[in-house]
Amino acid sequence: MKILTAKHKILIVGSGPVGLSLAVELTRRNIPFRIIDQGSGPTPENESRALGVHLRTLDILTPSGIADTLRAKGNLITKIKMTRDGRQFAVLDLSKHPRKDSAILSIPQGTTERVFLAWLAQHGVVPQWNTTLIKLEMDADTSIAHIRSANGETEDQAYDYIIGCDGAHSIVRKSAGIDFSGRTGDEQWSLVDVEYINEIDPHTGRPNFLTGNGVIVAIPINKNLVRYFSSGSNVIKLIPDQENIRTIHWQSTFQISYRVVETFQKHSVYLAGDAAHIHSPAGGRGMNLGIEDAAWLAWLISEKRAAEYSNFRLPVAQKTIRETFALTDQITNETMLARLLRGTVLPLLLKIPPIRTRIFNNLLALDTPPPPWLK
Ligand SMILES: Cc1cc2nc3c(=O)[nH]c(=O)nc-3n(C[C@H](O)[C@H](O)[C@H](O)COP(=O)(O)OP(=O)(O)OC[C@H]3O[C@@H](n4cnc5c(N)ncnc54)[C@H](O)[C@@H]3O)c2cc1C
């Protein structure tokens, strides 16, 4: 086997939102790398997938200027109205948070990825699509990537850093023998993106608790388009205002898994995003957490402190998984206690400013460690 010394020291495997954000953060620090993806291009624009971009993520993407572009293309959600069978019982008004720009940015994942790609293209970086990491061989000293290129040729390259941003089924993680334990629930959840004929309020999210039918959550994408997701397998039949529906853009079902790696790093292999952690979509934390991983890793590489990466990120991922589990339990649980907490205790807590700020910090992902490079 002929092993080539790679032109760059860093290989990013995967050009999803996490690989692309890592590419952005390395590029703006003038750190060269190679980025590959087995797919032929970004997430289709009609598949909204990771829809919510949180304040922490926007802060991270501010130095590159990408946050401004995302804000210009997205829709700000500033209120969350909670209802039971359509009757309102609590309002989370994000304008009451101390930060003036407090909101959740709603923007389809395919659009977010295209903003990253356009920024990278302006800086001379284009991912190598249709290029697959077949496997990885590593020991304490070297890591060799076996790669198949778009034209079918294979190559073996040695890298100092191989960074797996290759999603939940990560080959990088499996090749490195890093454990990804946890569990997958049995329940089928469903989501759908619905276009309405008449305009809707684009700035208000609406979780509606349906007696005997779980929960349905509405997240506006723009003034005519809404994402609904439900704890049941047939979200479409639960959608209100059916006569106002023009068309369905995209729908999918999914099961919720909670898994986290035992370590984010082994020798010269690093993991970020879904390759390292997957959890419930409640709270919309998945992609945001992955973009944080990527930004921390880029900073640590630039500081020559990459060996500290797992110590920084593992506790954050573990905490987020605990929180999304608790939130999912809270929104799906129909016991008397859960209903009392939601319907009576929550509205009272929202009236107490320090507690309200803590609740909102969690919602805006401001409860993760602040990035030190943004001081
Ligand atoms: C139906 C659906 C709905 C979702 N809804 C939400 C939501 O509402 N909110 C939310 O936060 N998240 C949601 N998610 C999850 C969100 O999409 C992920 O958290 C996010 O995409 C993770 O980004 P990533 O870059 O880590 O991984 P991915 O987006 O999975 O990207 C991994 C990339 O690696 C590439 N790759 C994989 N293996 C290889 C290989 N061997 N060689 C080269 N390239 C490889 C893949 O082609 C892919 O492009 C949803 C996901 C799905 C499928």
Side-chain angles (χ1 to χ4, degrees):
M1 178 172 68
K2 188 176 170 217
I3 299 164
L4 302 172
T5 305
K7 187 169 149 218
H8 301 311
K9 290 177 166 186
I10 301 175
L11 174 68
I12 303 175
V13 183
S15 303
V18 174
L20 292 174
S21 50
L22 178 60
V24 167
E25 289 297 289
L26 290 172
T27 300
R28 73 177 189 86
R29 294 184 168 89
N30 297 315
I31 301 173
F33 58 87
R34 177 185 185 187
I35 178 165
I36 63 169
D37 197 291
Q38 66 183 8
S40 54
T43 298
E45 288 216 77
N46 68 319
E47 295 186 15
S48 61
R49 296 199 189 197
L51 192 55
V53 177
H54 292 304
L55 263 193
R56 174 72 82 225
T57 308
L58 291 169
D59 288 346
I60 283 170
L61 297 173
T62 293
S64 61
I66 285 181
D68 285 344
T69 314
L70 292 177
R71 280 193 176 99
K73 288 180 181 283
N75 168 53
L76 289 178
I77 296 183
T78 50
K79 275 197 182 108
I80 295 171
K81 288 191 177 165
M82 302 175 78
T83 53
R84 165 157 293 278
D85 299 321
R87 289 183 43 203
Q88 186 174 305
F89 63 85
V91 179
L92 283 70
D93 180 355
L94 296 174
S95 69
K96 292 190 172 151
H97 188 270
R99 270 185 68 158
K100 291 279 164 287
D101 57 351
S102 174
I104 297 168
L105 186 69
S106 169
I107 180 168
Q109 181 172 328
T111 310
T112 301
E113 289 177 18
R114 281 165 181 76
V115 169
F116 285 132
L117 284 166
W119 186 98
L120 287 166
Q122 274 170 8
H123 292 77
V125 178
V126 180
Q128 289 178 272
W129 299 107
N130 302 303
T131 304
T132 305
L133 177 82
I134 303 161
K135 69 172 175 162
L136 185 66
E137 279 172 44
M138 60 166 241
D139 58 30
D141 303 317
T142 43
S143 286
I144 297 157
H146 301 271
I147 297 169
R148 188 178 51 239
S149 302
N151 61 10
E153 283 175 11
T154 55
E155 49 176 309
D156 300 307
Q157 302 263 13
Y159 289 93
D160 290 351
Y161 301 82
I162 297 186
I163 307 172
C165 304
D166 50 344
H169 302 290
S170 172
I171 284 281
V172 175
R173 184 188 68 234
K174 288 175 188 163
S175 303
I178 297 174
D179 186 50
F180 194 45
S181 60
R183 63 192 178 288
T184 301
D186 298 327
E187 302 82 25
Q188 282 283 332
W189 289 55
S190 48
L191 66 80
V192 63
D193 292 347
V194 172
E195 184 183 326
Y196 281 120
I197 300 163
N198 298 319
E199 290 188 7
I200 46 104
D201 168 8
H203 305 301
T204 305
R206 295 172 194 274
N208 186 16
F209 298 87
L210 301 166
T211 305
N213 250 331
V215 63
I216 179 168
V217 181
I219 309 167
I221 301 174
N222 60 40
K223 57 186 169 33
N224 288 99
L225 194 58
V226 181
R227 144 84 60 88
Y228 288 97
F229 74 89
S230 154
S231 53
S233 59
N234 191 356
V235 62
I236 294 179
K237 77 174 195 308
L238 303 177
I239 296 175
D241 211 4
Q242 298 263 348
E243 61 290 348
N244 188 19
I245 294 175
R246 187 194 302 278
T247 183
I248 285 173
H249 281 215
W250 177 60
Q251 58 184 307
S252 183
T253 55
F254 58 96
Q255 285 163 294
I256 297 180
S257 297
Y258 295 92
R259 292 181 191 277
V260 64
V261 284
E262 58 184 317
T263 175
F264 274 59
Q265 184 220 343
K266 189 169 171 186
H267 305 314
S268 48
V269 165
Y270 299 77
L271 298 169
D274 278 16
H277 43 73
I278 47 172
H279 53 75
S280 159
R285 299 292 292 264
M287 180 185 74
N288 292 277
L289 193 62
I291 293 176
E292 273 189 44
D293 297 337
W296 275 82
L297 182 54
W299 174 68
L300 288 166
I301 290 173
S302 73
E303 296 279 308
K304 307 210 177 338
R305 292 171 56 191
E308 296 170 50
Y309 175 58
S310 197
N311 292 344
F312 279 115
R313 297 311 295 167
L314 186 56
V316 182
Q318 288 168 332
K319 175 171 174 281
T320 306
I321 284 179
R322 281 196 303 275
E323 285 173 356
T324 56
F325 179 82
L327 180 62
T328 308
D329 184 54
Q330 180 50 233
I331 64 175
T332 52
N333 200 325
E334 278 295 293
T335 59
M336 283 291 283
L337 178 64
R339 289 182 63 160
L340 187 76
L341 286 172
R342 276 197 305 263
T344 310
V345 179
L346 178 66
L348 290 174
L349 292 178
L350 288 171
K351 292 196 170 113
I352 308 169
I355 297 180
R356 186 175 61 220
T357 299
R358 281 191 66 173
I359 294 170
F360 288 3
N361 279 348
N362 181 273
L363 214 66
L364 300 165
L366 291 173
D367 58 349
T368 58
W373 65 94
L374 291 182
K375 271 182 216 148

